[in-house]
Structure formats: structure tokens, C-alpha cells
Amino acid sequence: HPQGLEPTWRLPDTIPEFGTVEARNPDYTDWTRRDWIIKSCNQEMAENAVDAAHFRYLHGTTNIPESMATIDGPLMKVVSPAGMTTPRGVVPGQIASDNYGFGAGFVRFTGIVETLNVGCSTPIDENTVHLRFNFMVKKMGGAEVNVGKAFIAEVSRQVEQDIPIWENKRHLERPNLCDGDGPIALFRRWSQQFYA
């Protein structure tokens, strides 16, 4: 904080998919970690959660999800239904994220395989962010090894599709929004609380 103030909110103490240090949840795999150094800022990257159109046109979901966002102080919850194409056809799915400010997101994917991604973005300097994704996959009688690995690889591929956009995006104070853009205006109002 520019004035050295103490944090004004806390992250959750527990993650149900993880359990506790003393009693790990046996229904989920151990963490799989991925990380990137990106020339961007936290706000631009966090806005991805509400940019509904990019799921279809950049990442290839079968629809532009009707993303629904709610705000409770520093927490923004976003739920986006997303059809996912597989060799066996389209699988209906959902992306539900709990975003605590710009730095911590708990993203739950359902559909192909239940997956938790704990995403943490840490500014290195004014123009660079260290993005860390930590995945846990719900066990499915051994199938989670290949299915989970493939799903994590797909999410990682999608991040790498986002990186050139994040690194070349210009922030517009008053963007021209249209139907299908998702709750970007709500996100922008929410984000103002994180600036001194």
C-alpha cells in the first residue's frame, strides 16, 4: 500500500478442495503448478474474468457465456456457463471464480473434469506481473491423471493466447461496450477501491 496501511481484507483460511494441512482432502490430486512472467498489470489480467466475448472468439468455447458477476467488498464472484468441445462432442460446463482483489482468484471449472485453479498475480514492477496458477483435479478413479493433465494443458494454452493481448492492451477509461461484452463496467467500478 502506498501509505503502508495494513490489509483491509483477508483471503479465505481454507479451500474445501485442499482440506487442511492436517487432513488433506483425499478426493483431489496434489497441486500442479504453472507460472509466467507477463508485461502487463494486475487489473488488465483480472478483467479477463468478466470479458465474456473472449471465451468464444479467443479460446473457442461453443458460446459467448452470459457471465453473471456479483460484488461483496473486495470479493467479485463471476459465473460463466461455457460449452467445451471434446472429441466426443460438446460438454456443458461452467467457470466460477471468486476474485479477491486483483491478486488472488479461486477458479472452479466443471464439465469435463472438476478442477480448482488458485491463481495468484504478483506485481514485480509497474509493467510486469508474475502469474502463478496452481491446479487441483478431482479424482475420477484414475482417469483424472490423463484428463486432468490435458485440461491443465488446455488452460495453460489459453493463458498463452491471452498473453499477447495483455502485453499490448491499452486501458481506456470509458470503453465502448456492446452486448456480449460481459460485466466489464461493473468490474471497472469494483476495481476503483484498490487504488489509493
Side-chain angles (χ1 to χ4, degrees), residues 37-52:
I37 302 296
I38 301 168
K39 292 288 186 187
S40 187
C41 66
N42 283 21
Q43 181 175 342
E44 293 293 354
M45 294 166 55
E47 196 167 271
N48 239 33
V50 294
D51 181 3

Side-chain angles (χ1 to χ4, degrees), residues 21 85 133 166:
V21 173
T85 304
F133 276 9
W166 290 330

